[in-house]
Amino acid sequence: MDGLYGRYKAKTRQIRGLAALTQLAILVLSLGLWEIAGRSKWIDPLLFSYPSKIMELIYSMASDGSLWPHVGATVGETIAGFLLGTLFGTALAALLWWFPFVSRVLDPYLVVLNSMPKVALGPIFIVALGPGLLSIVAITLMVTVIITTINIYNRFREIDSGYIKVVRLFGASRAQLFRMVILPGSFPVMIATLKVNVGLAWIGVIVGEFLVAKIGLGYQIIYGFQVFNFTLVLSSLVVIGVVATIMYQLVAALERRLTEGWRER
């Protein structure tokens, strides 16, 4: 059995390594073709630039310090929207489960809000909250809260009714039922929702910065478009991709750690 398990682990590592090498090869090949196409003018270098030019601009901005205030502003807004959206969405889902009448009343409104393009409300937030951090975070909350609420509330309702009946037979109150059955049973979904909210928070923040910001990576994209500097636009997108990936991997690592502990319990 030990030998069989060892071969299984070795094959798993081999497949993981092969997948990583394939991913790296695709990335290198894509960047290489892009570089050649840009330098050979197969594509318009003014519009599409090329990787070495983009990296030179990123390095220059990082060296003179002009990049970091934009990164700091966007990351701070994203973290705020991510955390608040997750907390408010979870709290609203708990409220809907706790009061079925409220759930029945609010259900059509949640459906409408979920289907509505949230960024269309951006101008209203800007007028109401002013052109600053509050309006950007409010736009991000509109993007994250509804999805979080719907996902977690649906999981609350899908908990096995057998568990609920057993706990009620032992005389559990509604608070004890929520604490002992509903919340633990929904924990993996709640953690998985964090990964969804990472992407949604970035969407909300960047759109908010498009509309109102004077600093941030979204602002850099709009500014680069206005001055027809598409290398700046693409470099901002590269930075967003790198930072968003790091944030996503951190949340994924947290998910693995917490769900492993949940399974053990």
Side-chain angles (χ1 to χ4, degrees), residues 188-259:
V189 172
M190 294 169 64
I191 297 299
T193 303
L194 294 176
K195 292 199 296 187
V196 177
N197 280 350
V198 171
L200 294 177
W202 276 97
I203 292 172
V205 166
I206 296 302
V207 169
E209 290 183 346
F210 282 173
L211 296 174
V212 69
K214 298 299 182 183
I215 189 172
L217 295 172
Y219 166 75
Q220 276 199 312
I221 292 174
I222 291 297
Y223 176 76
F225 172 75
Q226 291 173 341
V227 300
F228 222 67
N229 184 352
F230 289 97
T231 301
L232 177 61
V233 173
L234 291 171
S235 66
S236 300
L237 291 174
V238 169
V239 174
I240 289 173
V242 171
V243 179
T245 300
I246 293 172
M247 187 174 174
Y248 180 88
Q249 292 300 326
L250 290 174
V251 173
L254 176 65
E255 178 197 22
R256 288 192 297 270
R257 183 178 181 86
L258 292 177
T259 53

Side-chain angles (χ1 to χ4, degrees), residues 123-130:
I124 297 176
F125 289 129
I126 293 170
V127 173
L129 302 175

Side-chain angles (χ1 to χ4, degrees), residues 53-182:
K53 191 175 181 181
I54 292 171
M55 295 309 298
E56 287 175 5
L57 179 59
I58 293 175
Y59 177 78
S60 174
M61 295 180 66
S63 299
D64 63 24
S66 60
L67 176 64
W68 306 119
H70 297 287
V71 173
T74 300
V75 170
E77 292 160 354
T78 303
I79 292 175
F82 166 73
L83 294 177
L84 292 175
T86 302
L87 291 173
F88 288 164
T90 303
L92 183 55
L95 177 68
L96 295 177
W97 179 87
W98 201 283
F99 300 103
F101 179 77
V102 175
S103 171
R104 187 177 294 274
V105 171
L106 294 183
D107 183 68
Y109 296 102
L110 290 175
V111 172
V112 171
L113 288 174
N114 187 44
S115 60
M116 179 185 296
K118 287 74 172 179
V119 296
L121 299 174
I124 297 176
F125 289 129
I126 293 170
V127 173
L129 302 175
L133 174 64
L134 287 179
S135 57
I136 295 174
V137 173
I139 294 171
T140 306
L141 288 177
M142 281 298 301
V143 175
T144 57
V145 167
I146 302 301
I147 294 298
T148 302
T149 301
I150 292 174
N151 286 345
I152 295 179
Y153 176 59
N154 285 337
R155 176 54 187 168
F156 285 172
R157 295 196 302 176
E158 291 170 359
I159 297 296
D160 191 340
S161 60
Y163 296 143
I164 297 175
K165 291 177 181 177
V166 169
V167 175
R168 282 179 172 169
L169 284 175
F170 281 97
S173 65
R174 193 164 182 80
Q176 290 172 325
L177 175 64
F178 183 78
R179 180 172 56 86
M180 299 173 63
V181 177
I182 302 300

